[in-house]
Every structure is written in C-alpha cells, then in structure tokens.
Amino acid sequence: MEDLMNKVRIIFILCLLASLVAIGNIKDPVIPICVSMGDQSYSEVAYNCIDNEYLVVWEDYRNIPGTQSDIWGQIIKENGEPKGNEFSVCSDSGSQWWPHVDFDPVSQRYLVVFEDNRRAATEGWFDNYDVYGALLDVNGKHIPTAASEADTCFGISLDSAATHYPDVAWNYQTGAFMVVWADNRNSTPDIYGQIVDSDGNYLYPADPAVNFPVCDDAAHVQDVPVVVYNNITNEWLAVFAQGDWSTCDIRAQRIGHDGILVKKDGAPGADAFVIKENIGVAADPSQPRAHFNNEYLRKGNPAVPTTGLNECLIVWKDNANQNIDLFAQRLAFFPKLPLLPVMNGARTDSTVSYYAMAVNLNGDVEDLAVFPVSAAPDFQNAPDIAYSALDNEYLVAWPDSRNWTVTGSDFYCQRLHITADSAMVFLGADRQTTTDSLRNIPVDTTIHYEGGSLVGAAHNSYRNEYLMVYTFKNDADSTMGNIYGRLLTGSIPVKVQEQSTSTPLCFSLAQNYPNPFNPATQIAYTLDKPGLVSLEVYTITGAKIKTLVNATQIVGTHTITWNGSTDFGVSAASGVYIYKMTVNDQSLTRKMLLVR
C-alpha cells in the first residue's frame, strides 16, 4: 500500500512539473519565505530597485499563537533566496495586522504601515486601533524617528477611534509617503490620510491625532482603501469601496502632492467619483487594488520613474455574476489647459491639470468602462497588481477557488499588456494573446491551500521578473499558514496588429515620436514594395481632420511630420487622435496624444 501511495505521489509530482514546463515562465522552485512555527498570513512585498532586492512583510502569530499577531519581514535576493534571517518589524505587546509597504529609492528605506492596538483596552473591532509605521533601512534595520516609541515604531493615526486597512505610497517628486486607511472617528468608516516624510516627520497635518479626510461622506461607508502615486501629475489616487455594509461602489479620490483634494476634472475639491457603480443588490464590488503604468528604474543613483501612458489600472473583486470574480477599469489622465492660481492659500502655483477618464480595452474613452480580469467559477479574491515598464504590462495576482473540489484554493495571475496603439490585451501562459477571461495563468495549484486574504506582487526591473507572495497551508494542518513566493519571468509579447489582413502586409507603421507631443510629431513608415499610400488623422470619434500623405511612393522608409493643424489650418485641441495608413487597400492604425 505504501509503495502504491509513493507511486501516486511521484505521478502527481511529474504531472505538476509537466504543467509547469507547459507554463514555461513560472520559475521553480517554490520559494519558502517564512516557514516558522505559528500562523503566518496577509503578505505584502516591495521592490528595492537600488539593491535589486525585495522586502516581504506579513502577519505572524509565532509569539502567542492564535492570540497576538505581530508584523515580521524578510529581505529576499533577486533570485528568490533569503538575505539573512527573518526579523520582527513590530512585536509590541498589542496586536498588529494588515501590513503594507513601499520603498523610497532616494533615501533608500522602506515604510511599513499596519493596524496596531497597543493603546486599546480590548481586542474589539471598534476599540482603539491606530495606524502605526516602521521605517526600515535596506537591511531591515529600524530607523528611529522623532515620534518613535520604545519599539522604534511611530504612530501615524492616533485618534481615539478605530482605524483599519492602511496602505502607503511614496511620492518621487516630494520624497514623502501618503498613508490612507478606513477610519471610524465619525461613527461610520471614512477614508482618512496622513503625509509623512522619509524621516517619519508629520508633514500634513502636523498632528497625528488630526489627520485629514480623503472621503468623509456621512451617508455611506468607505472601506479598504488603496493609494498609488502618479509621477506625471504629481498626485496620489486613493481608491476604495463606498456604500453600506452589503452593497458598495468602487470610487476614487485624487489627492494633490500637498494633501489638497482634486476633483475628477482636475480642479481643486473633494470628488469621490465612481469607478464601478453598484447596479443591484447582487453586486458587491470591494477590496480594490491599483497601479499606475510607471515604475522606478535605477539609472545612476537615485532611481527615476518611467513615463508611461499616464493611466492607472484598478482591479477589485465583484460578485455581480453570482460568483466572486475580478473586474478592472483603466483610468487615463488627459491634460487640459493650465489652471489659474487658487487664491485661498492652499495652492498658489499655476500648473497643468488633467482630466481623469475611463478608457476601454481598445484605449478609447468610455464612461465607466469595466472588463473582467477573471470570470472563472467560484471565487477570485484579494488581488494585487505589479507593473513592468520593460514589457509595458500589468500583472494581476490573486487567490482562486476554481478548482476547489479537486485541489482547494489556488494561486493565479494574469498579464495585461498595453500595445503600441494603447490597446490592452491578455497574455496567456503560452505568451500568446487571448480574450478569454478564464484563461488565466496558474502559479501554484497543489492539492493544498494557496492564496490567503492578502497577496503581494512586485516587479524586478533588473531581471524583468515578478515576485508573487502568498499564504500556503498544508491540508494536514489548515490552521497553520506559511509565506511562500513564486517568480514569473517577463516576456516580450508577440506583436499585436489592430487590424488583420488575409495577405501579408507589405508595409509597417511606427508609433509616432514624440508621444505625447506638442507642437509637432513625426510618423515613420516602411514600404516593402511600391504602392499608393494614404496617411490620415482622425479624432477619437472617427472624424477625419488631416490628410498627411496621398501619393504613390517607392520602397523604403518614409517620415512625415504633423504640426497639429487640421486641413483647414486650425490647431487641433488636446486629446487622443488616430492615424490610419492605407497601402493598396491594406490598413493599419495607431493612436497618439496631443498635449496643448
């Protein structure tokens, strides 16, 4: 009987290895990040682009199992090996939960934020939970701040009400961290924030017991926020669920670099605008995650952020289809005319302002455009997002129960690649494009439990790899979890053409440069054989405004400049335009962005 079981195990392992070979870009082995005694869960990860390492943080019950949770961490080398031993981030006498982390590549330090009940009388949900932070150097050592307590951690929100679900994002231009969380000081949860600098000093406001409201709509509940930074507009974006305790919308609030709220249209002011609107009691979108399409690459020292299409991918779980699926929206930021100075003293600089608009998978503006990332059976939950500027793609990772009856909860991911013409396409495990939201990429799918209530993903810009971290529980002891990781290699996707033809194309059309542009841009194209060439510019709604080329041309590379004017000599307005090239009845199109 034992020999038979061993044969079954061998067959299972061979099948698992075969599936991994078929996947091709999931790297072996599985990385054990924390396998200590006690229960570990709720993991997050940040990438250090200076030293080419990761910091993984998680909740840990090793000290008082089942009762007191602490925050622990581990530095992980670029190849997935641990650097040194795991260490305590916060092991105060109270409990700590829900860790999140971001890295400052200029000061070369991490800020870890978490819930903390050291000042609470009990463990009650609405008792005095605070938001605390820990500044760590690149080796995980604590950095004292002016407000540090005995354990070197410091309070970020010290109001007398309960606070939950903190998140943090670093600002490249000001060197400051924004921390947001769900806050009960007004009886029902609101979203509050606090800006601190890289030394842990309070910037706005100066009192950690005051903080500032990001969204305090008294008629609704706001919960489980995420905050991300946009280096092009120099502002943060907070995304959260808003509604009641059973049905919610997904909403967003723009926050200026100085903490002043910004409306959807770019004007100063509070405006929690809708990302996904709840259209029925069966739908309950919640737990959003977000990421702008930029990342920090080390070019000398300090690191500098890349400049992408100036858009943010927002993903959330949603049971609109009777299952808990993952849905997403692309939120693009389009420039408009400069704002006049605000005279209330809050903002006195005249600066370029941006509209925030939803765009669909084709890259076209569409109000409340929403698409599924995964609509597999059962539930997909608690996603996280990373971005690769090298491949111009997002990676979404999540726990998944589509195979629950066979293997239990698994861990899946999905690449979302942005093409040269700003369309978004799904990439399968075979690196081919697909439109099937069920064809996601399995990361870890054993007979045990993978995933957890909080997973993390980060991109390594040196190796073009992602590290995904998650909870693993053995079926033999489902109450005890460990933290594991998996590496996913980057890839250069196969070229995607917007319009296919029945015969091979005899020409190619390049992306305009520069893009975005003002006042002029160049468009290059190559002919493999002579032909009648038409090159025209259209508005996003399909109206032709300019003919750039209409002639028979010879073989070779040609370049044409568009100065932003129409056929009538009028300057075109800021916005997205389509340029279409037709050669002998075959066509290609691309998009470009004019900024006035």
Side-chain angles (χ1 to χ4, degrees), residues 548-567:
L548 297 173
V549 179
N550 186 21
T552 299
Q553 295 185 324
I554 63 174
V555 172
T557 299
H558 305 262
T559 302
I560 188 73
T561 298
W562 183 40
N563 63 5
S565 65
T566 69
D567 283 331

Side-chain angles (χ1 to χ4, degrees), residues 421-444:
D421 58 2
S422 77
M424 179 175 281
V425 295
F426 284 53
L427 295 182
D430 55 5
R431 300 181 180 180
Q432 301 296 310
T433 59
T434 176
T435 58
D436 185 357
S437 60
L438 297 179
R439 190 187 179 194
N440 309 124
I441 302 171
V443 180
D444 202 351

Side-chain angles (χ1 to χ4, degrees), residues 257-302:
H257 64 274
D258 47 11
I260 304 303
L261 302 183
V262 181
K263 294 182 179 180
K264 184 178 182 180
D265 64 3
D271 177 22
F273 58 91
V274 176
I275 300 296
K276 166 65 190 309
E277 187 172 19
N278 180 19
I279 56 176
V281 294
D284 185 20
S286 60
Q287 203 163 344
R289 301 299 291 171
H291 206 301
F292 278 92
N293 63 333
N294 55 59
E295 70 171 331
Y296 298 100
L297 306 176
R298 185 177 182 181
K299 297 180 180 179
N301 195 350

